[in-house]
Amino acid sequence: MNSTGRLAGPRRPASTIVPALAACLLTLAAFLTGSRAWAADDPMPRPAELERDVQFWVRVYSQIDTNAGFLHDQSNLGVVYDTLHFAPESPPAERQRLIDQARERYEAALRRIAASGDGSLSADDQRIRDLWGAEGTPARLRAAIDDIRFQLGQSDRFRSGLIRSGAWETHIAETLANLGLPAELAVLPHVESSFNPSAYSKVGAAGLWQFMRSTGRRYMRIDGAVDDRLDPFRSTEAAAQLLAYNYRVLGTWPLALTAYNHGTAGVRRAKETLGTDDITRIVRSYSSRTFGFASRNFYVSFLAALEIDRNPEKYFGALQKESEAHFHEVELPAYVSATSLEHALKIDAAKLRALNPSLLPAVWNGAQRVPKAYRLRLPVDGTEWSSQLLAQRLSPGDMFTGQRAPPRYRVQRGDTLAALATRYGVSIESLAELNHLRTSAHLHPGRVLTVPETTSISLAAATSPASVPAPTPASTPLLASRAPALPAEPSASAVEAVAPPSPGGAVSAEVAVRESAEDAAAAAAAEAASAKPHAASTPQPVSAAQAEALGPALGPAADAEQSADPFDYSVAQDGTIRVAAEETLGHYADWLGVTSARLREINHMKFRSPMLIGQRIRLDFSLVTREVFETLRHEYHRELQAAYFAGHRIVGTEIRIARAGDSVWTLSQHRAQVPLWLLQQYNPDLDLTALRTGTQIVMPRVEEVGTGG
């Protein structure tokens, strides 16, 4: 492939549909009309009730820089108690001391004001009471004592982001337009990274669009050699796919954007809990352990960024944006070392590295090769680059058929970074850096780590990803902290149509799942170990909604919040769950520490009667808590999905209209053999047990990708 100039947008999703009935054509037309409606008038409503919140973020983005911040109420953003200023380059500890002192002053002031009733107040206390207006009752002021929060300013970052955005704004606009998405989405990187393509957040999100690794692997290559999150072009295409997916599942752009931060399942749960898709009601009324300040403010901060991006001169004066990025792009015909490319192409290593930010340090230091089929970017220098010309420049000895995989180790229960560092004869810091971990990180059993090559110890446990042994089963199911062995991809025996098509054209209806986890073969390894960031990239919290260098962290659930999985794995109040694809009664029994027979008994299920996707199942929590069960269940699906996306990538969607004789199984095998759980994720509101002719199904298009091995 040869691409000259700016990179073209992603391919349009194909729709190859031959409906059996005329009504199917009408359904397709309605879908296409709906797709165009994504870019219809006012896709990003700005409710008057949220205006004070929008204006707060406008102030954060345009009035104060990262040497200042607001001390404010976290619920009522119209209440800003003070603006704190720090000396440039002052250490974090000093800044934190000043914040703590200010917070203590305002806590004391709120106590005095609440206790004073209608008594006289000092001028400063009166100013604070006036900030609250009629809302400032004694009870509300006492509650506000615990709601004082600090927000670091962002104006210097936002201004820099406006300048940087010029390099990619045309590609972003083309990508959104090619998918029929609203043009307004182009400003999201202002909120996420200030258009810094090498940004890392403190919870592991990376790149222009701040993808978490697990979510990014749905749409991009992320392995030991390549991290496409760091490529502004590839990550833009991935972000467009994720945003389109969120919109399909949630139905409105305010919710789709909120899900970009909080996760599709979390926002779907909020929508169902309150019975509304009104963003105002959700951000004002929804209560959840993980729906914190960042998630609640994500949409309003986006609206603030949109306002400033549309009127940059109003807030920052005249700006000169960076020029659009230009390059040639060619597909590598084989695995090639970076050194061979530099010599054959006679291109400076620094220039080649700048053009290809997704290639990780392991490639540049020679530990990994640039993968086959990688779309290498080359400078525009008068040469008409192509894959053929590149192959001619390389000698046969420069090209390889594969990648030498580094040693791997699958974490066992009880393993710690300190113990593994001692075992492999390296420092904790070195091992943590090699795997993009904090030195204090807790290691979850089943995770695959990259380990240093050494001859001083046995490498019996350190194997390539393809042969990493499965974790040893826990002797006590109640205490297991890992998911069960991952099932293989669905086979003909994995699901079963138990009702034939009816004469009226109803599709094969009920779908049964496996009887027990023991019937499933152990499958692929868990997610590959993280690669460390570029040496020149300093991990930095850059999102205004995320990055609070001196404020509260996002919380322990941050790793899962961007998840695109819309399924709710929690237990209902009545002790039941809804069966998801790839789950079995045996799984539930293992996670609960009971027998399958016990679960059949309390659900009045006959032996060998099928358990159906979407069916409600009652559980026995006599031996484990609901929280333990939910954790094990979620971990099982996380590892199942990580294993699949280690070798597959979503490249688009298409619509299929169910025809007589279709079953969910045949649909899941359409084209790329999409697993049932992925089909369920793209159609979360579709009853898989009651498909009928003419039903519209969104089919993800997937392709197999290399895993760096």
Side-chain angles (χ1 to χ4, degrees):
M1 178 179 66
N2 181 27
S3 174
T4 304
R6 53 181 161 77
L7 185 66
R11 295 169 291 178
R12 282 180 176 272
S15 295
T16 306
I17 306 170
V18 186
L21 302 171
C24 298
L25 291 173
L26 295 176
T27 303
L28 175 59
F31 170 77
L32 295 175
T33 301
S35 295
R36 288 193 294 271
W38 288 354
D41 293 341
D42 198 22
M44 309 297 173
R46 186 163 166 169
E49 301 90 337
L50 298 179
E51 189 60 28
R52 75 181 186 195
D53 306 66
V54 175
Q55 290 306 317
F56 172 83
W57 289 105
V58 168
R59 293 178 66 189
V60 169
Y61 288 149
S62 65
Q63 292 184 6
I64 54 172
D65 63 16
T66 49
N67 286 316
F70 292 139
L71 206 65
H72 66 96
D73 184 83
Q74 67 174 352
S75 299
N76 183 346
L77 299 188
V79 176
V80 177
Y81 297 111
D82 205 349
T83 302
L84 306 182
H85 296 274
F86 310 116
E89 308 300 327
S90 57
E94 173 61 17
R95 295 188 175 202
Q96 188 62 59
R97 185 183 66 81
L98 294 175
I99 293 169
D100 290 343
Q101 288 179 348
R103 181 180 284 112
E104 289 171 2
R105 289 199 306 272
Y106 283 97
E107 287 173 352
L110 288 169
R111 291 190 185 93
R112 288 195 304 271
I113 299 167
S116 68
D118 296 327
S120 61
L121 298 171
S122 67
D124 196 49
D125 284 0
Q126 187 63 50
R127 176 186 68 83
I128 296 171
R129 172 181 273 178
D130 292 344
L131 288 173
W132 284 94
E135 188 182 343
T137 63
R140 182 67 185 89
L141 294 176
R142 281 191 290 270
I145 292 171
D146 295 325
D147 284 344
I148 298 175
R149 179 183 176 278
F150 177 80
Q151 173 60 50
L152 192 68
Q154 301 285 311
S155 65
D156 48 347
R157 288 174 174 167
F158 203 101
R159 185 180 187 280
S160 297
L162 284 167
I163 295 171
R164 283 191 292 261
S165 68
W168 313 291
E169 61 185 3
T170 301
H171 176 68
I172 294 173
E174 287 181 345
T175 300
L176 297 174
N178 281 336
L179 288 179
L181 306 182
E184 291 89 341
L185 295 171
V187 308
L188 185 54
H190 282 305
V191 180
E192 285 295 312
S193 69
S194 298
F195 275 89
N196 180 356
S198 61
Y200 281 84
S201 81
K202 55 191 172 186
V203 295
L208 203 72
W209 296 87
Q210 288 291 282
F211 272 96
M212 296 300 294
R213 174 175 290 266
S214 57
T215 304
R217 292 186 80 172
R218 287 177 167 250
Y219 310 103
M220 296 177 281
R221 180 170 188 150
I222 303 173
D223 53 40
V226 176
D227 189 342
D228 277 338
R229 296 179 299 168
L230 303 175
D231 185 312
F233 298 92
R234 298 290 89 80
S235 63
T236 291
E237 294 152 15
Q241 291 278 359
L242 176 57
L243 288 163
Y245 168 83
N246 285 349
Y247 181 84
R248 287 189 183 98
V249 172
L250 297 165
T252 76
W253 283 112
L255 296 187
L257 281 161
T258 303
Y260 196 90
N261 173 267
H262 186 61
T264 314
V267 176
R268 193 161 177 254
R269 187 181 307 117
K271 178 180 175 180
E272 292 174 351
T273 299
L274 297 181
T276 183
D277 59 8
D278 181 355
I279 187 63
T280 301
R281 279 196 59 197
I282 288 174
V283 301
R284 291 282 189 256
S285 304
Y286 181 61
S287 177
S288 163
R289 179 181 63 85
T290 59
F291 195 67
F293 184 84
S295 298
R296 201 176 300 279
N297 279 269
F298 199 76
Y299 182 62
V300 291
S301 64
F302 168 83
L303 292 177
L306 184 60
E307 176 176 314
I308 298 172
D309 186 82
R310 285 172 169 172
N311 306 282
E313 294 82 5
K314 173 183 175 181
Y315 296 96
F316 294 107
L319 289 172
Q320 182 63 48
K321 291 187 176 182
E322 289 184 9
S323 300
E324 183 181 356
H326 292 273
F327 47 80
H328 291 282
E329 190 172 81
V330 296
E331 188 173 290
L332 283 187
Y335 286 82
V336 184
S337 72
T339 302
S340 295
L341 287 173
E342 294 164 21
H343 291 163
L345 303 176
K346 296 181 172 56
I347 295 175
D348 178 69
K351 182 179 293 185
L352 195 61
R353 187 167 184 169
L355 284 168
N356 297 275
S358 64
L359 293 177
L360 294 170
V363 169
W364 302 108
N365 66 25
Q368 295 274 285
R369 302 178 183 118
V370 183
K372 180 181 180 180
Y374 175 80
R375 289 151 68 180
L376 184 72
R377 297 209 188 101
L378 301 173
V380 177
D381 58 1
T383 306
E384 288 297 322
W385 290 105
S386 66
S387 295
Q388 293 74 20
L389 178 58
L390 180 60
Q392 292 171 12
R393 293 281 187 96
L394 294 166
S395 68
D398 290 330
M399 295 183 282
F400 298 86
T401 59
Q403 187 83 269
R404 185 173 67 86
R408 299 281 199 257
Y409 173 76
R410 186 186 284 274
V411 174
Q412 306 295 309
R413 179 174 300 172
D415 281 342
T416 65
L417 271 178
L420 291 177
T422 300
R423 178 178 181 181
Y424 286 95
V426 296
S427 67
I428 298 176
E429 292 74 16
S430 297
L431 187 59
E433 183 182 26
L434 186 63
N435 290 280
H436 197 187
L437 293 169
R438 295 187 299 273
T439 55
S440 60
H442 173 71
L443 298 181
H444 295 285
R447 174 164 186 162
V448 179
L449 299 180
T450 298
V451 296
E453 296 188 54
T454 176
T455 58
S456 61
I457 58 173
S458 170
L459 293 181
T463 61
S464 67
S467 59
V468 172
T472 303
S475 57
T476 307
L478 307 187
L479 301 179
S481 59
R482 63 170 181 87
L486 306 185
E489 289 300 309
S491 62
S493 61
V495 292
E496 173 187 0
V498 297
S502 66
V507 177
S508 306
E510 297 177 333
V511 179
V513 295
R514 296 184 186 88
E515 165 62 22
S516 69
E518 288 72 25
D519 294 335
E527 177 178 299
S530 303
K532 68 180 181 180
H534 288 260
S537 301
T538 301
Q540 52 180 311
V542 292
S543 162
Q546 293 178 334
E548 301 165 313
L550 299 169
L554 288 180
D559 192 0
E561 283 184 357
Q562 196 196 43
S563 170
D565 185 349
F567 199 87
D568 186 355
Y569 297 109
S570 61
V571 179
Q573 290 296 322
D574 62 359
T576 66
I577 59 169
R578 185 162 61 93
V579 176
E582 297 296 340
E583 291 182 341
T584 71
L585 209 61
H587 284 134
Y588 305 151
D590 287 345
W591 300 334
L592 293 165
V594 300
T595 64
S596 296
R598 169 59 181 161
L599 296 180
R600 287 190 175 279
E601 176 187 353
I602 64 177
N603 285 281
H604 309 292
M605 295 173 63
K606 295 180 179 179
F607 182 66
R608 293 194 179 283
S609 61
M611 188 174 69
L612 308 177
I613 292 176
Q615 178 182 353
R616 278 281 171 188
I617 294 292
R618 184 170 301 281
L619 303 177
D620 179 349
F621 292 102
S622 59
L623 297 177
V624 300
T625 65
R626 296 186 181 196
E627 290 75 18
V628 168
F629 176 87
E630 290 173 351
T631 297
L632 294 174
R633 189 186 189 200
H634 189 274
E635 185 69 10
Y636 163 72
H637 285 280
R638 188 193 69 79
E639 291 196 9
L640 178 73
Q641 294 170 36
Y644 179 77
F645 288 118
H648 299 82
R649 178 170 56 219
I650 299 171
V651 295
T653 59
E654 62 184 13
I655 299 300
R656 183 171 172 87
I657 306 299
R659 288 167 274 187
D662 275 344
S663 68
V664 175
W665 170 249
T666 62
L667 290 173
S668 72
Q669 297 304 292
H670 176 65
R671 293 219 177 182
Q673 298 191 351
V674 176
L676 282 179
W677 56 262
L678 186 56
L679 183 63
Q680 187 179 45
Q681 287 183 12
Y682 269 78
N683 301 273
D685 297 317
L686 182 65
D687 185 353
L688 297 180
T689 68
L691 283 179
R692 300 189 66 83
T693 296
T695 300
Q696 178 179 294
I697 302 123
V698 180
M699 300 292 299
R701 291 190 295 114
V702 299
E703 65 180 17
E704 292 187 5
V705 295
T707 59

